[in-house]
Amino acid sequence: MKEPGDGVILSDELFGKFVSLVYQRTGISYENNKKYYVQKRIEKQLERLQVDSFNEYYLLLKFSESTSEFDRFINDLTINETYFFRDFPQLRNFAEDVLRAVVKEKEKKGDYKIKIWSAACSTGEEPYTLAIILQEMLDEPDKWDLHIVASDINSDVLHRAKIGQYDYRSVRDVPSVYLEKYFTLKNEKYSILHSLRRSINFRKINLMDSEAVSDITGCDFIFCRNVLIYFDDRSREKVLGDFYNCLNPGGFLFLGHSESVGRISSAYKSQRIGDSIVYSTHK
């Protein structure tokens, strides 16, 4: 029996329609060099639904009253590998330089609240890493009101993040002392301690949904690393503008090492703190 999509090439015209639909709804941009990647994800959905044509599936995504199929397609398109303490030099800069300076200023004002948004949290390694850093870097963490918003557009990875259970590949860069302190090991799975999860609120958010993004206010830090590379300049400008409104005056935005604010937005102040360039809102 012939499998759905077997031996059929996705036309350039229909590929353009698929990626245009994804772009309109998510801001994520797929160029022609991603055609094979996108086609394989579409074929997987055709096989699951027993749909015979790419066009039939496109019409289903575009005109269905429910967004469930589109959401499932996006889940398959946006699975990204991550791990604890990814890009350690930047995290060290955050912990030892930026966070320390912010905490010092807050203590002067008697302000003991810290809010962080992990804006593309995937399976949760980043927000849990940030929670560990806060526990380790604050002299009296119990004195602080710590709140981490962890969001992603992918509901599958969010479900895994909430469970907080990982294999060795994900925790391979976690310092051994932290591994013993914040994880329990059972059946070769490392589970995050419940006490660490309490400060984290997982939410499904499409970064192009300004209304949903505007609900997140009062952030001291936003981490959105290795996400803007999937957007075009128009989408990046929109997201960066919304992030600016989410941050407190003097709040900080952390991007991936290959990403930059400079060419896209003039709203942020670029400065060197420690050994890294960081972006902040104006006080």
Side-chain angles (χ1 to χ4, degrees), residues 21 24-25 57-65 70:
L21 182 64
Q24 288 168 16
R25 296 188 184 179
Y57 180 60
Y58 169 74
L59 295 175
L60 174 65
L61 294 182
K62 184 172 177 65
F63 295 110
S64 175
E65 291 183 6
F70 182 80

Side-chain angles (χ1 to χ4, degrees), residues 20-249:
S20 177
L21 182 64
V22 170
Y23 175 75
Q24 288 168 16
R25 296 188 184 179
T26 71
I28 300 171
S29 178
Y30 289 98
E31 304 296 336
N32 288 335
N33 62 354
K34 292 291 185 180
K35 182 180 176 183
Y36 179 79
Y37 172 85
V38 172
Q39 176 170 336
K40 287 302 177 185
R41 268 68 190 167
I42 295 172
E43 287 175 354
K44 181 178 174 181
Q45 304 308 316
L46 295 182
E47 183 175 352
R48 177 179 61 83
L49 294 168
Q50 290 297 295
V51 170
D52 289 326
S53 77
F54 292 122
N55 190 61
E56 184 179 349
Y57 180 60
Y58 169 74
L59 295 175
L60 174 65
L61 294 182
K62 184 172 177 65
F63 295 110
S64 175
E65 291 183 6
S66 168
T67 63
S68 59
E69 278 302 328
F70 182 80
D71 292 344
R72 191 158 187 168
F73 180 46
I74 290 300
N75 284 355
D76 205 29
L77 278 177
T78 58
I79 294 175
N80 297 303
E81 185 203 6
T82 186
Y83 49 89
F84 284 85
F85 289 90
R86 184 178 185 182
D87 193 355
F88 185 81
Q90 185 187 56
L91 291 173
R92 181 176 56 199
N93 172 245
F94 162 67
E96 297 180 358
D97 302 310
V98 183
L99 177 63
R100 187 170 286 168
V102 169
V103 166
K104 189 174 181 180
E105 286 298 312
K106 282 180 171 287
E107 286 177 333
K108 288 180 183 177
K109 302 173 186 176
D111 175 6
Y112 289 91
K113 294 181 180 179
I114 293 178
K115 185 173 182 178
I116 303 176
W117 181 14
S118 172
C121 71
S122 188
T123 43
E125 287 91 334
E126 180 177 87
Y128 287 129
T129 295
L130 295 171
I132 291 172
I133 288 173
L134 291 178
Q135 290 297 316
E136 290 298 316
M137 294 304 297
L138 297 173
D139 291 335
E140 298 178 75
D142 291 341
K143 188 168 71 172
W144 290 78
D145 178 9
L146 305 177
H147 185 46
I148 298 174
V149 177
S151 73
D152 205 280
I153 195 174
N154 186 322
S155 57
D156 288 344
V157 297
L158 279 173
H159 177 69
R160 290 162 59 190
K162 290 175 185 177
I163 293 172
Q165 194 174 79
Y166 302 94
D167 58 22
Y168 179 73
R169 181 184 179 90
S170 292
V171 302
R172 64 188 184 272
D173 288 345
V174 178
S176 58
V177 63
Y178 296 169
L179 207 55
E180 293 178 13
K181 189 173 180 181
Y182 296 106
F183 296 81
T184 57
L185 176 60
K186 185 177 181 181
N187 297 328
E188 299 184 353
K189 292 290 185 180
Y190 294 84
S191 296
I192 291 285
L193 290 187
H194 180 71
S195 59
L196 203 64
R197 303 184 197 195
R198 287 182 303 195
S199 63
I200 303 177
N201 174 27
F202 290 100
R203 299 170 61 176
K204 181 180 177 183
I205 293 179
N206 179 345
L207 293 180
M208 294 303 290
D209 184 348
S210 292
E211 185 176 347
V213 171
S214 68
D215 285 341
I216 303 177
T217 58
C219 294
D220 299 294
F221 309 99
I222 294 178
F223 282 77
C224 187
R225 303 190 294 172
N226 306 308
V227 176
L228 297 184
I229 53 174
Y230 298 106
F231 291 176
D232 66 1
D233 284 353
R234 181 181 175 187
S235 299
R236 290 176 190 136
E237 185 176 7
K238 180 182 186 307
V239 171
L240 289 171
D242 286 344
F243 281 167
Y244 191 92
N245 295 327
C246 297
L247 285 163
N248 287 329

Side-chain angles (χ1 to χ4, degrees), residues 246-264:
C246 297
L247 285 163
N248 287 329
F252 289 88
L253 172 65
F254 288 85
L255 302 176
H257 70 275
S258 64
E259 299 168 318
S260 171
V261 164
R263 186 170 61 86
I264 307 300

